């Protein structure tokens, strides 16, 4: 099974994708991952959806709304950041923007004068640190290898730090089985109480929402797409009934059922 995720080798996305497949290839764009899976070039794609500290990955949400793919699993990966460098004398810290944000307090306390540079991935930051002794990286300590020293471990601001990834497949693999379901709703209308009307069908049928987020539709200012995760499978009558109501409310727009799925955990 060919799987594509964010690279290069050694990213947290790579760790998540390795829970699915041994044949993992890389790119540096979430949108490219989703499009490659939608076009049938790869069997699976693994994309980050949200982090417990920094919140949702908006590029992933927008790519899912724009493409026809199925979510077939979610993968929860603990995030353990280390500070990696050739020595403790460095001027710049390079890592993914979310990793830098997740270690903000540590960096402010220990290296307040260091310049911060956001790069495409934590692994790309490690490559920069290997190439330049004045650069440190923030990444999983296992990425240090023989060239870098682990100056500090577990420098993330919260020990509970974890990232949730989606495993995506082609639309023909969309499933109604699983304990969780992801939906995208574009009402294409706007009036007082619309959001309440969209949420009431779930509450009335005792379907718990685990995530609700809005993203600009791109059609016009103030127009939104809603990303909704629920703790129920599409095979359940209560969710089917709730979606019948939601689809009627969104008849001027659309409702995308990304699929039902179960959760996997990457264990350190």
């Amino acid at each position: 099974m060919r799987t594509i995720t964010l690279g290069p080798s050694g990213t947290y996305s790579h760790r998540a994708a390795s829970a699915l497949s041994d044949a993992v290839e890389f790119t540096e764009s979430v949108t490219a991952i989703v499009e490659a899976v939608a076009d049938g070039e790869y069997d699976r794609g693994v994309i980050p959806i949200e982090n417990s500290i920094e919140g949702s990955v908006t590029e992933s949400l927008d790519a899912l709304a724009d493409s026809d793919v199925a979510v077939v699993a979610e993968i929860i990966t603990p995030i353990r950041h280390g500070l990696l460098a050739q020595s403790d004398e460095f001027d710049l810290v390079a890592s993914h923007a979310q990793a830098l944000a997740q270690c903000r307090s540590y960096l402010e306390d220990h290296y307040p004068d260091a310049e911060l540079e956001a790069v495409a991935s934590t692994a790309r930051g490690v490559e920069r640190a290997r190439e330049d002794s004045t650069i440190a990286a923030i990444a999983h300590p296992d990425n240090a290898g023989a060239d870098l020293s682990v100056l500090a471990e577990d420098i993330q601001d919260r020990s509970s730090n974890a990232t949730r990834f989606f495993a995506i497949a082609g639309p023909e693999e969309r499933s109604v089985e699983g304990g969780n379901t992801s939906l995208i709703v574009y009402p294409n209308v706007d009036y007082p109480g619309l959001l309440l009307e969209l949420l009431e069908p779930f509450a009335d049928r005792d379907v718990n929402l685990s995530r609700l987020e809005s993203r600009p539709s791109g059609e016009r200012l103030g127009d939104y797409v809603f990303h909704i995760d629920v703790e129920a499978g599409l095979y359940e009558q209560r969710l089917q009934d709730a979606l019948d109501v939601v689809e009627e409310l969104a008849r001027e727009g659309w409702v995308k059922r990304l699929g039902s799925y179960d959760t996997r955990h990457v264990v350190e």
Side-chain angles (χ1 to χ4, degrees):
M1 183 171 64
R2 295 182 66 206
T3 301
I4 186 169
T5 194
L6 291 173
S9 176
T11 61
Y12 285 99
S13 293
H14 185 194
R15 298 175 73 84
S18 296
L20 292 177
S21 171
D22 294 328
V24 179
E25 299 178 40
F26 305 104
T27 183
E28 294 194 1
S29 163
V30 167
T31 301
I33 294 171
V34 176
E35 290 177 348
V37 173
D39 292 341
E41 298 175 27
Y42 289 86
D43 303 302
R44 294 287 186 273
V46 174
I47 60 173
I49 289 296
E50 64 175 330
N51 175 262
S52 59
I53 295 176
E54 286 302 301
S56 294
V57 181
T58 56
E59 184 185 0
S60 296
L61 301 183
D62 294 344
L64 289 174
D66 292 339
S67 298
D68 188 13
V69 295
V71 176
V72 296
E74 69 173 359
I75 306 164
I76 308 299
T77 301
I79 303 299
R80 290 189 56 231
H81 288 316
L83 185 66
L84 318 180
Q86 295 183 33
S87 73
D88 58 2
E89 296 183 2
F90 56 84
D91 303 315
L92 182 147
V93 180
S95 193
H96 190 276
Q98 284 223 348
L100 293 172
Q102 292 159 19
C103 302
R104 185 181 295 111
S105 295
Y106 175 86
L107 294 172
E108 289 176 351
D109 290 344
H110 294 83
Y111 299 96
D113 297 327
E115 183 181 350
L116 306 183
E117 180 181 320
V119 293
S121 66
T122 55
R124 187 65 69 199
V126 172
E127 290 183 351
R128 300 250 2 242
R130 287 197 176 105
E131 296 166 354
D132 190 334
S133 63
T134 67
I135 296 176
I138 292 175
H140 193 284
D142 288 353
N143 287 345
D147 301 323
L148 299 176
S149 298
V150 181
L151 303 182
E153 294 190 41
D154 295 317
I155 64 172
Q156 61 273 7
D157 292 346
R158 299 180 186 177
S159 60
S160 61
N161 192 8
T163 294
R164 177 180 177 232
F165 295 84
F166 274 168
I168 59 173
E172 70 281 355
E173 294 195 49
R174 187 172 292 114
S175 175
V176 300
E177 299 178 359
N180 304 290
T181 299
S182 287
L183 313 160
I184 306 177
V185 180
Y186 177 48
N188 198 24
V189 293
D190 185 23
Y191 54 82
L194 170 62
L195 183 56
L196 176 61
E197 289 185 6
L198 290 172
L199 299 183
E200 280 182 330
F202 300 106
D204 291 345
R205 293 161 180 82
D206 199 31
V207 176
N208 188 47
L209 272 64
S210 56
R211 183 171 66 94
L212 170 65
E213 191 148 2
S214 62
R215 290 289 300 152
S217 69
E219 298 295 329
R220 52 191 176 272
L221 186 64
D223 192 47
Y224 295 96
V225 172
F226 297 102
H227 293 257
I228 301 173
D229 292 344
V230 301
E231 294 177 349
L234 285 167
Y235 68 91
E236 297 183 55
Q237 191 63 49
R238 58 178 180 147
L239 182 53
Q240 294 177 30
D241 292 343
L243 286 176
D244 286 343
V245 179
V246 171
E247 288 175 336
E248 176 60 23
L249 291 168
R251 60 187 177 275
E252 299 297 325
W254 45 261
V255 176
K256 184 177 290 189
R257 305 183 185 201
L258 292 174
S260 298
Y261 49 85
D262 289 319
T263 302
R264 304 186 186 191
H265 293 268
V266 173
V267 179
E268 285 289 335

